[in-house]
Amino acid sequence: ALVRFGPDGAVAHVNGDIGISLPESADDNGWTILLADRVVQVIEPARFQALGIECSPDIPGVLVAPIVDEGAAFAVLVVVDRNIQASFGREDTARVKSIAEQLAVSLRRGMLHERLEWEARHDALTNLPARTLFERHVADAVASVESSPPAWVVMLDLDRFKEVNDTLGHHAGDDLLIQFAGRMSSLLGPGDVLARLAGDEFAILCSRQSREEIVEFTQSCVVEAGRPVILDDLEIVVTVSVGVAQISSTDHDAVQPMRRADIAMYNAKWQRTGVEFYRDEIDRRTPARLSMLGDLRTAIEADQLEVVYQPKLHLATGNVVGVEALVRWMHPTRGVVAPSEFVRVAEDTGLIKQLTDLVLSHGIKMLSEFDDHHLPLGLAVNLSTHDLFDSRLPDRVRDHLEANDVAPSSLTLEITESSLFVDAPRTRSTLDELHDVGLRMAVDDFGTGYSSLSYLRRLPVHELKIDQSFVAGMLTDQQDEVIVRSTVDLGHNLDLLVVAEGVESLPVLDRLREIDCDVAQGYVISEPIPAEELIDWLRGADSRAWLGPAE
């Protein structure tokens, strides 16, 4: 028998019937004494029994040869010959000693290779399988998909992990990852594999019989991850976003189901839903989207996108006080492409900077035309979350304003509520710099995100825009009206202008005026107007005929 000692215990390689209880670790009682002298010995059965080691009484003797490296036994060779009637002699001892010395070199080399291979396939921090080993497990599941229970790939990504690292330090981040790995391990079933792929991204390969079972499992992951964790004596709550994809018979390798689960996970993070299952409609990396990317790049470079303008009405005076710039795309073969489609493509591929610059360029030129026609109107332009990550954004906006000799105060940049809390320190820095330029800032889609009111109070913003989902239902849903009315009061208490968007009927417009909402925009006032028609609309009698007399 050859017994190797490792951090996880002993591994025995046995040939024949040894008849002896082999050590389970280097510290195994009894065996520790036999290995301490680090010399080859012939041990009688009685000595084994005296040390508490089980040994067959009909064995005449046993050769025990510690295999030593750097002064310690890292393995032991145990030799038993049941065919002799006498104990081993000096020649046998010398021969086994020679074998043990040769084994020391070979074993150490082999164990080093084994350790290096293990380290290459496992994460050093959590001891979980790393990406390469996990992909091998997934590939095996793909190969046996027809004959095995339904298999699922689950991607997990910690939310706010960067904030923990930046605030408490990397040691706290490492502690969080170790605790998270332990929590997820406690939820695994037989045959499940948990891996750490990179950073704060983990993955699970598991078998579950139905979608209901995998839903229950992933929800338990979200709940378990959301329990408070103690880091540096502070109680921290860090949530997780989970994406799920089932391995299918059309998969050819591990890449496909892992990619689908990854897409679902990022959608869960984007939508803040906790768990998302892969669906074709959320896949932004299809050939069709790649084709759209090429077309969008061409359209931006050739200035083929149209910027249109939706008027904003001041409810107390009945006057139009500004417009919002909106981008539209009429594709030569696709037809009208919804902004939600091509803006998402632009964000995913880095084209959002060029798209935002296009809208800023057209919109600020329109502000210059307003000045030429003595129309005291403001302009609002939407910003993407990705725009706020660009440290050069304030300089880009300033360049457009200076090139058209337009006052910064006439431009309002709209940011969604949820974007304020994606990498908050970084976005806050950009907002402060934009404020220093002299621009106005508005929080768009207010009520749909997770704003902290104390944080909102400290932001350099001037307007709140109530999301149209609340405005549209305020006459038929009492809760929607409560939300709209409360937002108006909140905005005024914070000295902010309150804008209601998505106003589509006169009764809603009248109700907004009654609750002292400041500004409204929507189809009941006007649809978005092309640039070449906007000045005529603003100056024409038709644009204000139905608004009632100005106060």
Side-chain angles (χ1 to χ4, degrees):
L2 176 65
V3 183
R4 298 181 299 148
F5 304 124
D8 298 325
V11 179
H13 306 270
V14 182
N15 180 31
D17 182 11
I18 291 293
I20 300 173
S21 177
L22 297 171
E24 295 182 358
S25 71
D27 300 323
D28 202 333
N29 288 336
W31 281 99
T32 304
I33 297 173
L34 296 179
L35 300 175
D37 293 337
R38 300 190 294 277
V39 296
V40 181
Q41 306 175 64
V42 179
I43 310 297
E44 303 296 331
R47 178 88 189 281
F48 280 116
Q49 293 167 3
L51 293 172
I53 301 171
E54 293 183 10
C55 178
S56 176
D58 61 344
I59 299 175
V62 180
L63 271 171
V64 174
I67 300 176
V68 180
D69 184 61
E70 296 182 353
F74 68 94
V76 60
L77 181 64
V78 181
V79 182
V80 175
D81 191 345
R82 290 181 171 276
N83 297 321
I84 63 175
Q85 300 300 316
S87 184
F88 290 109
R90 291 182 179 178
E91 292 183 0
D92 300 315
T93 303
R95 187 179 303 152
V96 170
K97 179 182 178 182
S98 176
I99 293 173
E101 291 172 349
Q102 295 175 48
L103 278 174
V105 177
S106 300
L107 272 181
R108 177 54 68 189
R109 185 183 298 118
M111 293 174 71
L112 176 61
H113 176 76
E114 191 176 71
R115 180 172 64 83
L116 292 174
E117 187 175 9
W118 190 94
E119 291 177 352
R121 295 180 180 179
H122 290 77
D123 172 53
L125 180 66
T126 62
N127 288 330
L128 294 175
R131 179 179 291 273
T132 302
L133 184 54
F134 184 76
E135 289 178 349
R136 181 174 299 181
H137 284 292
V138 176
D140 291 342
V142 169
S144 60
V145 65
E146 298 288 357
S147 57
S148 302
W152 308 77
V153 175
V154 180
M155 291 288 184
L156 309 99
D157 191 85
L158 291 174
D159 304 319
R160 299 175 58 212
F161 177 72
K162 185 178 185 300
E163 186 177 339
V164 171
N165 263 346
D166 292 345
T167 305
L168 301 180
H170 288 282
H171 69 284
D174 289 347
D175 190 12
L176 173 61
L177 294 173
I178 292 170
Q179 293 192 48
F180 177 77
R183 291 184 180 188
M184 295 302 102
S185 295
S186 69
L187 301 175
L188 301 179
D192 293 352
V193 177
L194 171 66
R196 182 188 176 203
L197 303 187
D200 60 340
E201 187 176 1
F202 292 75
I204 298 174
L205 173 65
C206 57
S207 295
R208 296 295 185 272
Q209 292 292 341
S210 64
R211 185 182 177 94
E212 289 72 22
E213 288 185 16
I214 195 67
V215 167
E216 181 180 355
F217 171 67
T218 52
Q219 290 291 353
S220 68
C221 292
V222 172
V223 172
E224 186 66 18
R227 289 194 299 107
V229 58
I230 304 299
L231 301 174
D232 283 358
D233 297 325
L234 296 175
E235 186 175 86
I236 307 294
V237 174
V238 179
T239 56
V240 67
S241 296
V242 181
V244 188
Q246 184 175 1
I247 295 177
S248 72
S249 57
T250 59
D251 292 327
H252 302 297
D253 51 37
V255 173
Q256 294 159 309
M258 290 179 65
R259 172 184 167 276
R260 295 198 302 273
D262 201 47
I263 290 169
M265 182 272 290
Y266 276 106
N267 197 62
K269 186 176 287 287
W270 182 274
Q271 300 293 339
R272 298 177 182 267
T273 53
V275 178
E276 285 284 339
F277 281 71
Y278 175 82
R279 308 183 304 279
D280 287 341
E281 55 265 31
I282 66 173
D283 193 343
R284 305 189 299 276
R285 302 181 183 96
T286 60
R289 285 186 177 267
L290 288 176
S291 174
M292 181 184 291
L293 168 61
D295 292 346
L296 179 59
R297 188 185 302 276
T298 299
I300 292 174
E301 292 174 352
D303 200 14
Q304 295 172 350
L305 300 178
E306 181 182 22
V307 177
V308 294
Y309 303 87
Q310 187 167 44
K312 300 166 69 174
L313 177 72
H314 192 272
L315 294 176
T317 64
N319 294 325
V320 174
V321 291
V323 296
E324 179 179 356
L326 304 167
V327 63
R328 297 291 183 262
W329 186 15
M330 174 62 75
H331 192 277
T333 57
R334 302 174 192 268
V336 176
V337 182
S340 59
E341 290 187 39
F342 66 82
V343 170
R344 189 69 176 270
V345 170
E347 289 176 333
D348 291 342
T349 58
L351 275 179
I352 192 65
K353 174 183 175 181
Q354 291 93 316
L355 183 60
T356 300
D357 274 339
L358 182 146
V359 179
L360 284 171
S361 175
H362 283 261
I364 292 174
K365 286 178 182 177
M366 183 56 68
L367 275 176
S368 181
E369 288 195 39
F370 293 161
D371 288 343
D372 293 342
H373 289 84
H374 304 290
L375 294 171
L377 302 177
L379 173 81
V381 173
N382 288 289
L383 291 183
S384 162
T385 303
H386 297 261
D387 287 318
L388 297 179
F389 294 158
D390 183 3
S391 60
R392 291 201 66 258
L393 176 64
D395 292 332
R396 288 160 46 203
V397 176
R398 186 187 290 108
D399 290 345
H400 285 295
L401 291 169
E402 292 176 353
N404 291 276
D405 194 23
V406 170
S409 58
S410 60
L411 176 63
T412 299
L413 298 180
E414 298 184 0
I415 50 178
T416 60
E417 184 180 6
S418 57
S419 69
L420 297 175
F421 301 96
V422 179
D423 196 354
R426 191 172 171 191
T427 56
R428 176 60 192 267
S429 175
T430 303
L431 291 177
D432 288 339
E433 291 184 35
L434 289 170
H435 178 70
D436 292 342
V437 173
L439 310 170
R440 293 176 59 83
M441 305 298 298
V443 178
D444 198 8
D445 299 337
F446 187 78
T448 61
Y450 304 91
S451 286
S452 161
L453 296 184
S454 62
Y455 186 71
L456 180 64
R457 179 172 56 84
R458 296 192 300 269
L459 286 173
V461 297
H462 306 84
E463 298 180 15
L464 288 185
K465 295 193 72 175
I466 308 173
D467 187 71
Q468 60 184 351
S469 61
F470 303 119
V471 175
M474 63 181 296
L475 297 186
T476 56
D477 189 315
Q478 185 176 3
Q479 290 184 335
D480 282 352
E481 177 165 356
V482 169
I483 291 173
V484 173
R485 191 168 62 248
S486 299
T487 304
V488 171
D489 292 340
L490 170 66
H492 290 165
N493 288 334
L494 295 174
D495 293 326
L496 301 177
L497 188 78
V498 181
V499 181
E501 56 184 348
V503 183
E504 297 187 355
S505 70
L506 285 174
V508 170
L509 193 72
D510 291 337
R511 183 60 183 142
L512 289 168
R513 186 182 285 115
E514 290 171 3
I515 63 175
D516 292 329
C517 183
D518 300 307
V519 175
Q521 74 179 88
Y523 277 33
V524 70
I525 299 166
S526 174
E527 295 184 6
I529 302 171
E532 60 271 15
E533 302 173 15
L534 180 60
I535 298 297
D536 290 341
W537 187 92
L538 290 168
R539 297 179 67 87
D542 290 342
S543 67
R544 287 180 292 277
W546 57 273
L547 299 180
E551 296 181 2

